[in-house]
Amino acid sequence: MKELESQKKKHQSTNWNQSKEAPTQGLHTEKSIDKTATEPTKKQQILQLLHTIVHHTQALVQELEKLIKRQPTQKNHSQWLDTPEVVNQLHVSARTIQRYRSKGILPYTKIEGKIYYKQEEIEKILENRYRRIQK
């Protein structure tokens, strides 16, 4: 009888261990499936987020470049103008600009056959040549 009872206990304990292990093994499998199922979506979300950040950063850089181009030049960073730009600013003809160059009124620099003027010099000419009309 004792043998029969001990065999029952072993059998019960074996069944209990198997039943105990089976759900645990199943859970591990389900968790590993869940992990592999969620990891690509997390990676995709991170990649999408990075893509969005890069896109917005590029847009900001473009806006900043536009703003920098629109800002007036500072005294220490002089801007160079070509003849058509000077003609538009001074409201004179290209021949008059040439005359100013030859008389030494308007300093210039020639680079590869093209003539450039400093914005500062144009402003000086405008200030020096300005005459107030008296009524």
Side-chain angles (χ1 to χ4, degrees):
M1 286 252 196
K2 287 184 180 182
E3 288 179 45
L4 197 58
E5 285 179 15
S6 66
Q7 286 178 356
K8 280 184 181 181
K9 285 182 182 179
K10 283 182 185 179
H11 183 66
Q12 286 175 349
S13 66
T14 309
N15 285 342
W16 184 78
N17 285 339
Q18 287 175 353
S19 66
K20 189 176 179 180
E21 289 174 4
T24 309
Q25 288 175 352
L27 288 175
H28 288 296
T29 309
E30 289 174 5
K31 285 183 181 178
S32 63
I33 290 172
D34 286 345
K35 283 182 183 178
T36 56
T38 57
E39 284 180 13
T41 57
K42 286 181 183 178
K43 287 179 184 177
Q44 289 172 351
Q45 289 173 350
I46 291 170
L47 287 174
Q48 183 64 34
L49 182 62
L50 288 173
H51 177 71
T52 304
I53 290 170
V54 167
H55 176 71
H56 287 296
T57 303
Q58 288 173 344
L60 285 172
V61 167
Q62 289 174 353
E63 288 297 318
L64 285 172
E65 286 174 347
K66 287 178 187 177
L67 289 172
I68 289 170
K69 286 179 184 177
R70 279 193 250 155
Q71 280 193 350
T73 57
Q74 296 174 357
K75 290 288 181 185
N76 57 356
H77 295 99
S78 61
Q79 183 178 2
W80 291 90
L81 306 171
D82 61 2
T83 302
E85 291 171 324
V86 174
V87 164
N88 287 334
Q89 277 196 355
L90 296 179
H91 301 289
V92 295
S93 68
R95 177 67 182 116
T96 303
I97 299 297
Q98 184 181 1
R99 202 173 312 117
Y100 286 172
R101 280 194 319 258
S102 61
K103 288 183 178 182
I105 297 171
L106 183 59
Y108 64 95
T109 301
K110 193 172 188 178
I111 301 172
E112 295 183 12
K114 190 166 181 173
I115 298 171
Y116 295 96
Y117 311 89
K118 280 189 175 184
Q119 176 69 36
E120 296 168 0
E121 297 296 329
I122 305 301
E123 289 171 5
K124 283 180 188 176
I125 288 174
L126 286 172
E127 286 174 10
N128 293 337
R129 302 278 174 179
Y130 176 75
R131 292 188 191 132
R132 179 171 269 192
I133 300 175
Q134 295 180 356
K135 292 185 182 179

